[in-house]
Amino acid sequence: MSTENEGNEGTAAEAVPSVPSAPPVPADAPRGPSGSTPAPPPSPAYSPGPETEAAQLFPPTGEPAPTTSMPSVPGTPPPGVRSAAEANWPPPPPTVPAYAHHGGPVWGAPDQLHSPVGPRKRGMGGLVAAVAAAALIAGGIGGALGYWAADRNGTTSGGSTTVAASANPHDLKRDPGTVAGVAAKALPSVVTIDAQAGDGEGGTGTGFVYDKEGHILTNNHVVASAADNGQLTATFSNGKKYDAEVVGRAQGYDVAVLKLKNPPPGLTPLALGNSEQVAVGDSTIAIGAPFGLSNTVTTGIISAKNRPVASGDGSGGSNSYMSALQTDASINPGNSGGPLLDSRGAVIGINSAIQSTGSGAGQTQAGSIGLGFAIPINQATNVAQQLIKTGQPVYPVIGATVTMDEKTGGAVISDQGAAGTAAVAKDGPAARAGLRAGDVITKFNDTVIDSGPTLIGEIWTHQPGDQVTLTYKRNGRTATAEVTLGERKGDS
């Protein structure tokens, strides 16, 4: 199986979690010369919301319009079904009654009604006039109060009334449990890492403050190009930039620890969560610098746990293996090394790789398709402590070489090891447990194993000295063996 991350595609096995046949790429694969700039992402299309339909003031088409026996008089709306806007009906009440300034017949004058009913008593007319006057007075009072309220709470212009939002800063405070609240608290502790190699090539990644001494936790593939004779800088969300140096790197785990050369006072480390307690469906928040866009926040959920992932930097010799947290939070090149947070703002993983459909024409880096993978923080913390203490990683091992072929139904112990050595190390953990070349390991404790990379990822979630149970097949028969994990120091 090729563990390179570019140009390979595949799907996971149906029955058990498997290594994608196209190993996920590190979330920021090596970039071109430092002067190159990735094309900006296309602007999202704007989709307006649904319009609210105005209420119909008249019966819909096809229904008879109400009729009246009153004859048409000046000012009466013409017959037929029309909207209020078309007919300008009803007309706005005049500020001063029309008959106050005009002679001749007016709308509603008795001589225009031609009613067959005889004249009413004057007492009734007086009552109607009194009611009309009361209505006008009430309308005037209501209008005046409405204008006064609008004038105090907003502005009025050309018949339009707007309401201003509160200027009270307390009204804009986000609760700690909201995405905005978590992001506001975490962003000052996240840095954008610029790694420049001696030949001028480099890339951008992400890291976060690990402790108050100025250690920064990130991915190995983010800083590998500048680890020996390059230049590393870390830029905080406030724009302040600091030089950094590598404390230690673990290629197999894809973890690295940097230290700021002149750390600022008052550093606030991000709180570390417990990745063992994470459940599928939990909310996630990713912070990073996708395609160089620093301080980008995206959200999603935990899509799966213990996902076997093998990824590489494209060189064919720098492969890493993990039993990863899978998330659908948008992760792109540049997010590598950034924190994956839970809803409380605690770090549960380090964003490390993405599954991609491949690069399109004219593109050198593919983007997110909703399949991102993070190193569980429990594992990353163990590695970080080793690197800070000794400068080199320590790996748990079983003392056997397995093939990297996919879909083999398990991890097959090779016929021989690297450079012609024995596949099962003499006096190693596997040899003491009775394992031999050709055995097929199908389970690691209770986890089903479908390939060599899956087995390695599971082994590396443990510590040297841990006792595990291996289930294997030999000549068609199934057996188990108790194995005490050994250790290997360094990446050589």
Side-chain angles (χ1 to χ4, degrees):
M1 165 187 173
S2 171
T3 55
E4 293 193 25
N5 64 312
E6 296 180 348
N8 300 322
E9 299 182 10
T11 58
E14 295 294 335
V16 295
S18 64
V19 182
S21 61
V25 299
D28 71 328
R31 298 172 62 186
S34 58
S36 64
T37 303
S43 301
Y46 170 73
S47 177
E51 300 269 347
T52 302
E53 295 185 0
Q56 295 184 359
L57 300 182
F58 295 92
T61 304
E63 297 183 12
T67 59
T68 178
S69 60
M70 293 178 61
S72 175
V73 294
T76 303
V81 180
R82 294 195 294 171
S83 68
E86 294 172 329
N88 194 25
W89 179 264
T95 305
V96 180
Y99 51 80
H101 299 288
H102 300 277
V106 295
W107 171 56
D111 60 343
Q112 292 293 317
L113 295 179
H114 302 287
S115 172
V117 182
R120 298 182 180 181
K121 296 181 180 181
R122 295 186 60 185
M124 180 63 70
L127 177 60
V128 171
V131 171
L136 288 173
I137 293 172
I141 295 174
L145 290 175
Y147 180 87
W148 176 82
D151 187 56
R152 287 179 59 86
N153 292 284
T155 59
T156 59
S157 176
S160 175
T161 302
T162 61
V163 179
S166 172
N168 188 345
H170 294 290
D171 294 339
L172 300 177
K173 184 178 180 180
R174 272 71 178 181
D175 293 334
T178 63
V179 173
V182 170
K185 184 177 180 180
L187 277 168
S189 299
V190 179
V191 298
T192 299
I193 298 172
D194 183 48
Q196 296 296 326
D199 58 3
E201 294 188 359
T204 300
T206 308
F208 60 92
V209 178
Y210 178 71
D211 58 26
K212 294 183 178 180
E213 287 68 41
H215 289 108
I216 303 296
L217 196 55
T218 185
N219 282 143
N220 170 64
H221 74 262
V222 169
V223 302
S225 63
D228 296 328
N229 56 1
Q231 183 179 4
L232 290 165
T233 59
T235 304
F236 284 80
S237 59
N238 60 6
K240 294 184 178 180
K241 182 181 295 187
Y242 299 86
D243 291 332
E245 59 186 355
V246 175
V247 172
R249 300 188 293 129
Q251 173 185 304
Y253 292 120
D254 197 16
V255 172
V257 175
L258 309 182
K259 192 174 191 303
L260 302 178
K261 292 184 178 180
N262 295 296
L267 283 176
T268 303
L270 288 182
L272 304 180
N274 185 348
S275 51
E276 290 296 325
Q277 296 178 350
V278 171
V280 173
D282 281 351
S283 297
T284 59
I285 301 170
I287 303 180
F291 297 103
L293 300 174
S294 300
N295 310 316
T296 295
V297 178
T298 56
T299 63
I301 62 168
I302 292 293
S303 304
K305 294 180 60 177
N306 304 317
R307 184 71 77 191
V309 172
S311 65
D313 62 1
S315 67
S318 301
N319 300 312
S320 61
Y321 306 92
M322 69 186 89
S323 182
L325 297 175
Q326 180 182 327
T327 181
D328 66 349
S330 182
I331 297 174
N332 287 285
N335 276 105
S336 280
L340 184 68
L341 309 174
D342 62 15
S343 59
R344 304 170 301 164
V347 182
I348 55 175
I350 300 177
N351 300 318
S352 181
I354 58 174
Q355 183 72 27
S356 176
T357 56
S359 302
Q363 295 180 334
T364 58
Q365 295 177 329
S368 173
I369 58 172
L371 292 173
F373 304 96
I375 303 167
I377 194 60
N378 290 17
Q379 177 181 344
T381 299
N382 291 333
V383 178
Q385 291 172 348
Q386 295 168 1
L387 295 177
I388 293 173
K389 184 178 180 180
T390 67
Q392 62 179 347
V394 177
Y395 298 93
V397 297
I398 63 171
T401 301
V402 296
T403 65
M404 294 292 105
D405 295 334
E406 300 177 17
K407 313 302 181 185
T408 56
V412 181
I413 299 180
S414 304
D415 293 332
Q416 63 179 15
T421 61
V424 179
K426 185 179 180 180
D427 296 328
R432 289 194 294 269
L435 293 173
R436 305 174 187 173
D439 289 347
V440 181
I441 300 173
T442 58
K443 290 183 73 175
F444 182 94
N445 288 334
D446 294 327
T447 302
V448 176
I449 302 299
D450 66 338
S451 66
T454 302
L455 176 63
I456 295 174
E458 284 299 317
I459 292 173
W460 286 357
T461 63
H462 290 71
Q463 296 296 310
D466 288 351
Q467 190 174 48
V468 299
T469 301
L470 298 181
T471 302
Y472 64 96
K473 289 182 178 181
R474 179 187 297 168
N475 299 325
R477 299 181 63 181
T478 300
T480 61
E482 299 297 320
V483 178
T484 300
L485 299 177
E487 72 174 29
R488 185 194 84 203
K489 293 183 178 179
D491 281 312
S492 59

